[in-house]
Amino acid sequence: MSIFKNDRETKRMIFNVYVDVAERLDRAREASRSFDKRLDVDTCINKALEKFLHKAEKKLEEMQRDNKDRPRRAATPSTEPGQDPTPDPAA
């Protein structure tokens, strides 16, 4: 077991969490400080995000494969003659 922490580059991100979870975490942090300890929330969050991303990336790859197999629809001309509905930027 290494006695030194492996420093990795980190990026600060903001996540929304349920109020009750945030309050419980705050209470646990305060309790751990009373024992001169720190909760290792960063490692826990990183592991959970890794697991989530593994599932998300797998699902996205699956969706991309399915999308490639799906026949593309051909563009159909408008049934109504008229102007383009997009506004003219020069006007």
Side-chain angles (χ1 to χ4, degrees):
M1 177 178 5
S2 176
I3 59 172
F4 299 108
K5 182 178 179 180
N6 293 328
D7 287 333
R8 289 180 65 181
E9 187 176 351
T10 61
K11 180 177 180 176
R12 181 171 296 272
M13 300 184 85
I14 298 173
F15 293 96
N16 294 326
V17 296
Y18 296 130
V19 172
D20 59 324
V21 173
E23 289 171 350
R24 288 172 55 202
L25 180 58
D26 286 339
R27 285 193 301 269
R29 281 184 171 162
E30 289 298 321
S32 68
R33 285 186 190 135
S34 70
F35 294 104
D36 292 327
K37 301 286 184 185
R38 289 182 57 207
L39 295 179
D40 190 7
V41 177
D42 296 342
T43 300
C44 177
I45 296 299
N46 284 322
K47 285 182 180 180
L49 286 173
E50 281 287 337
K51 188 175 180 179
F52 173 80
L53 282 171
H54 178 73
K55 289 180 181 179
E57 290 165 346
K58 187 175 178 180
K59 184 66 174 177
L60 288 168
E61 287 173 5
E62 196 176 288
M63 290 169 61
Q64 284 179 330
R65 279 194 307 270
D66 291 347
N67 196 29
K68 284 182 183 176
D69 295 340
R70 185 176 300 146
R72 299 196 185 266
R73 293 188 318 177
T76 55
S78 174
T79 56
E80 276 185 34
Q83 296 181 355
D84 184 11
T86 57
D88 184 16

